[in-house]
Amino acid sequence: MSIVTPGVVPASVLLSEPAPEWLGRWTQFAADLRFEDLPDEVIARAKLVLLDSIGVIAAGMQEPEMAALVARLGARRTGKAAAIGAGQGLDARDAALVNGTAGTMLELDEGNQYARGHPAIHVVPALLALAAESDVSGPDLITALALGYEIGARIGIASRLKVTMHPHGTWGTVGAALGVAKLHGADAGEIGRSIGIASSLGLSTSRRTMLEGATVRNCYAGFSNQLGLTAWDLAQAGLMPERDGIGTVYGSVIADDFRPEAMVDELGSRWEIARNYFKRHAACRYTHGALDALMGIMEDAGGLNPENIEHIIVDTYVWAAQLDHPAPQTMLAAKFSLPFALASAIVRGQADVEAFRDAARADAVTQALAARVEVREDPALTAKLPGLRPARVTVMLKGNRQWTAEVLTNRGDTEDPYTAVEVEEKFRELAGPVWPAARLEAIAGAVASLDKAPTLAPLLDLLA
């Protein structure tokens, strides 16, 4: 070897490495997969994930930043793809951007605890945008969604993002690219080129954005969807990817410890979309264990009077313990503040969307209570990650009384899932202010029957 500096490998050595075996297996698997190959559980969950995503997108689209962004993009060019909940048709790439962004605005999009991220919101907007410009059936969409979700989630499982990275806008771009390629009827080679290119297109996402409440973070998923569409065009134009871009990027650039065996472990029999989670608390999922424990205390105590609370202690795992700032300055920062989330939930009775808005953050009683919340990491609870997300909450009242509750996992996780009816109720709650009741039920019905739909046109018309 002619290079003696540690860590630098000559090009002759790098370029002699063969393509990874897992990648060939994956591209062939994705190319060969038919809707008929999907288990019933996967089909049912994919439809539920789609409905949930539509609801959170439509609700998030009502935020003032989203209205302004849609207006700016719509003034430049319009198209057939719906900005869901905005009543505006956009170019497919613009629609993918705004829908992905809107879907994360309220911190209610679904996720996958094993992947440590949110696969669906990185895939659904791209697929719906593409479907608006091409002839797509319901089974086609479900198959593409299941595949895009699967590869994104598996990259999250197979690697560990740097602790300074936010997961949005990273491996989700590969998921979007695979879903788009599948809707185009791509063969294994085309899929390989698309996802290889997409692996180089992830964003440099800072974790501090969520802690500071920097709302640029909300557009990360939107860009993943837009770039997933772009990756297909780049591949079709003849641009070439790195031989193992996924392994390089998620093994040494933005993540470490890439384990290729995790990419193919039980491939085709264990589906990540079938072990996802749904959210009801409108806050970062790291707060949910403590919120669930608090809700149990509130139910047992018959409610809590903030004036009678002297102190609250939260013992939890490391990533939840990081969310200890008691005085958030924006709605997004409030959703990533355990002290504020608990205080607002006590004052309002629940951690819903309104619990994090300006009025809630300006409430003096809530502010004072948040300052009396102490958050601590318990290494024994951190050790239970990623399968469990534990928290222990102790509420100390005046007069030397206290309540304590502990949970091991979040409500809505695979271990304690919401029912399909509960997820459908969430959709109606979020989308109810956006659409008339009749349209709301028509959308829910169209998604429920998607596995038998020869075309996506009826659903897309309802979303337009």
Side-chain angles (χ1 to χ4, degrees):
M1 182 181 294
S2 59
I3 294 179
V4 296
T5 300
V8 180
V9 181
S12 58
V13 175
L14 289 174
L15 298 179
S16 66
E17 296 174 353
E21 188 270 341
W22 76 264
L23 184 57
R25 284 183 59 186
W26 239 105
T27 56
Q28 197 61 56
F29 167 75
D32 292 343
L33 185 75
R34 303 171 302 161
F35 174 76
E36 294 76 17
D37 300 325
L38 295 175
D40 291 343
E41 178 188 22
V42 172
I43 295 170
R45 188 60 65 90
K47 291 191 292 184
L48 207 57
V49 164
L50 177 61
L51 183 69
D52 186 73
S53 298
I54 290 172
V56 299
I57 291 169
M61 197 68 74
Q62 309 315 305
E63 296 301 300
E65 301 96 326
M66 293 311 308
L69 180 59
V70 170
R72 290 182 65 85
L73 296 178
R76 296 176 190 169
R77 58 188 178 191
T78 59
K80 299 178 181 179
I84 297 172
Q88 172 72 59
L90 296 175
D91 170 79
R93 280 165 181 72
D94 290 342
L97 171 64
V98 300
N99 289 332
T101 303
T104 60
M105 288 291 290
L106 301 179
E107 196 57 32
L108 279 164
D109 48 309
E110 70 81 59
N112 185 289
Q113 68 203 66
Y114 306 99
R116 300 175 291 273
H118 302 257
I121 201 59
H122 290 78
V123 179
V124 168
L127 299 186
L128 291 178
L130 176 58
E133 297 186 342
S134 55
D135 185 18
V136 173
S137 72
D140 290 339
L141 185 77
I142 291 172
T143 306
L145 171 55
L147 277 173
Y149 192 110
E150 188 70 18
I151 197 167
R154 281 183 178 257
I155 296 172
I157 292 168
S159 62
R160 290 191 176 275
L161 288 175
K162 296 184 184 299
V163 295
T164 52
M165 294 284 294
H166 192 294
H168 285 3
T170 56
W171 42 255
T173 305
V174 180
L178 177 54
V180 167
K182 186 64 177 178
L183 276 191
H184 277 291
D187 60 26
E190 291 172 318
I191 287 172
R193 290 190 290 277
S194 293
I195 64 176
I197 288 173
S199 70
S200 294
L201 301 182
L203 305 180
S204 56
T205 59
S206 169
R207 189 179 186 84
R208 285 190 59 159
T209 55
M210 71 183 196
L211 302 175
E212 294 182 10
T215 49
V216 64
R217 169 261 185 193
N218 291 328
C219 73
Y220 293 165
F223 278 113
S224 274
N225 285 278
Q226 189 179 74
L227 290 167
L229 291 165
T230 302
W232 171 257
D233 285 335
L234 294 175
Q236 290 297 296
L239 279 79
M240 298 298 293
E242 183 180 337
R243 182 176 297 151
D244 184 15
I246 292 173
T248 299
V249 171
Y250 293 95
S252 62
V253 180
I254 66 172
D256 301 305
D257 191 32
F258 182 72
R259 297 176 295 110
E261 67 275 9
M263 295 300 298
V264 292
D265 182 35
E266 299 181 86
L267 183 61
S269 59
R270 189 196 78 218
W271 288 88
E272 290 306 317
I273 201 170
R275 58 176 191 163
N276 78 323
Y277 64 79
F278 293 103
K279 299 172 67 174
R280 294 304 304 263
H281 302 308
C284 171
R285 183 169 171 272
Y286 298 159
T287 69
H288 285 211
L291 283 167
D292 289 342
L294 176 66
M295 293 301 162
I297 290 174
M298 292 172 65
E299 182 176 353
D300 292 342
L304 292 171
N305 183 343
E307 303 300 332
N308 292 334
I309 298 174
E310 287 192 344
H311 195 55
I312 298 175
I313 297 176
V314 180
D315 293 297
T316 186
Y317 56 94
V318 58
W319 302 121
Q322 187 182 31
L323 311 184
D324 69 340
H325 194 275
Q329 299 301 304
T330 69
M331 182 173 75
L332 180 62
K335 292 172 180 290
F336 286 83
S337 165
L338 249 176
F340 182 86
L342 295 184
S344 193
I346 290 171
V347 172
R348 294 185 51 82
Q350 59 182 332
D352 60 0
V353 172
E354 298 303 317
F356 300 92
R357 292 199 184 280
D358 291 350
R361 296 197 311 280
D363 180 71
V365 174
T366 303
Q367 291 175 349
L369 182 55
R372 301 197 297 275
V373 178
E374 178 183 359
V375 183
R376 310 184 303 200
E377 179 190 1
D378 183 337
L381 300 184
T382 297
K384 297 181 183 296
L385 297 173
L388 300 176
R389 301 283 172 152
R392 181 171 56 253
V393 176
T394 301
V395 180
M396 287 169 281
L397 305 173
K398 295 177 180 178
N400 294 320
R401 294 177 299 142
Q402 70 177 42
W403 292 86
T404 298
E406 183 172 358
V407 299
L408 289 177
T409 190
N410 298 337
R411 183 78 173 91
D413 283 1
T414 303
E415 296 80 7
D416 187 15
Y418 290 119
T419 65
V421 171
E422 288 175 305
V423 177
E424 291 162 2
E425 288 174 352
K426 173 191 170 185
F427 164 76
R428 292 182 175 90
E429 290 171 9
L430 289 176
V434 180
W435 292 305
R439 176 169 289 200
L440 205 66
E441 296 309 313
I443 292 170
V447 173
S449 60
L450 208 59
D451 52 321
K452 302 177 180 62
T455 175
L456 226 60
L459 173 61
L460 296 176
D461 287 344
L462 289 166
L463 299 180

